[in-house]
């Protein structure tokens, strides 16, 4: 239903059978993925696999068995690295096989921009440097406004301190505090200072 659900191996073992329809379904680790890339209506059963290794070691993996609801349904798989371009070539949904987390809305455009710059430079080091410069150029107007406001705030700071010292003896509930607020806002208006702009 347009959502990606990720299960840990432990959670998959608790509820091994998952019912479809599925847009894609499979198993991944940090760098590789194995998943079905054709729409699948049916069920999938996940089960842990232990592969014996040398010197009585074993490796724990997660396997899955597919049971399509219609017999003879063709099923296509992708097994390989989690490379953004390769997954995008399969279809726009498949890049969601990479877990970008809650900042996917920011990470995906940055990654695309980085790869676009890489096409010109051929070097990821230079691509990262150029991307950083581009981001700084885009952010410059905001930074400039913020630093101008910070300088104005520093100019009115002595006046603010003097006003606060004058009313320091008043309690927070004292009506005289209202007059203090009026006095504090006056220098801000005179100098054109917006405290929120410093943020």
């Amino acid at each position: 239903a347009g959502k990606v659900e990720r299960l840990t191996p432990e959670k998959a073992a608790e509820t091994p059978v998952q019912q479809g329809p599925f847009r894609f379904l499979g198993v991944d680790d940090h760098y590789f993925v194995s998943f079905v890339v054709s729409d699948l209506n049916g069920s999938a059963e996940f089960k842990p696999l232990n592969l014996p290794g040398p010197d009585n070691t074993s490796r724990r993996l997660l396997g899955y068995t597919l049971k399509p609801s219609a017999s003879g349904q063709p099923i296509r798989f992708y097994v390989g690295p989690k490379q953004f371009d390769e997954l995008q070539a399969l279809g726009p949904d498949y890049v969601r096989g990479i877990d970008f987390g809650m900042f996917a809305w920011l990470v995906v455009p940055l990654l695309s921009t980085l790869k676009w710059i890489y096409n010109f430079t051929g070097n990821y080091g230079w691509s990262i440097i150029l991307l950083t410069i581009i981001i700084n150029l885009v952010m410059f107007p905001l930074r400039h406004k913020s630093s101008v406001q910070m300088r104005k705030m520093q100019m009115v700071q002595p006046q603010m301190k003097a006003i606060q010292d004058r009313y320091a003896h008043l309690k927070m509930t004292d009506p005289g505090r209202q007059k203090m607020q009026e006095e504090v806002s006056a220098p801000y208006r005179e100098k054109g200072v917006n405290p929120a702009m410093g943020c």
Side-chain angles (χ1 to χ4, degrees), residues 131-144:
L131 180 61
T132 306
I133 291 167
I134 290 168
I135 290 169
N136 279 312
L137 287 172
V138 169
M139 297 294 287
F140 178 76
L142 290 173
R143 278 203 186 136
H144 179 68

Side-chain angles (χ1 to χ4, degrees), residues 107-198:
V107 174
V108 172
L110 281 176
L111 179 61
S112 300
T113 307
L114 182 68
K115 287 187 169 290
W116 180 76
I117 294 169
Y118 176 79
N119 289 336
F120 296 104
T121 63
N123 181 307
Y124 274 112
W126 283 111
S127 300
I128 291 169
I129 290 168
L130 288 173
L131 180 61
T132 306
I133 291 167
I134 290 168
I135 290 169
N136 279 312
L137 287 172
V138 169
M139 297 294 287
F140 178 76
L142 290 173
R143 278 203 186 136
H144 179 68
K145 266 189 179 173
S146 175
S147 63
V148 166
Q149 287 297 321
M150 291 294 276
R151 261 189 242 116
K152 286 181 179 178
M153 287 277 287
Q154 286 171 348
M155 285 167 54
V156 295
Q157 201 61 39
Q159 286 176 276
M160 296 296 111
K161 184 88 173 84
I163 294 167
Q164 286 167 351
D165 288 345
R166 246 185 301 141
Y167 290 93
H169 65 283
L170 297 177
K171 291 182 181 175
M172 291 302 285
T173 54
D174 196 305
R177 284 268 174 181
Q178 183 68 35
K179 189 158 177 7
M180 183 188 105
Q181 291 302 326
E182 289 168 15
E183 282 189 44
V184 163
S185 59
Y188 282 151
R189 277 197 306 273
E190 279 174 35
K191 303 283 186 190
V193 179
N194 182 352
M197 285 297 289

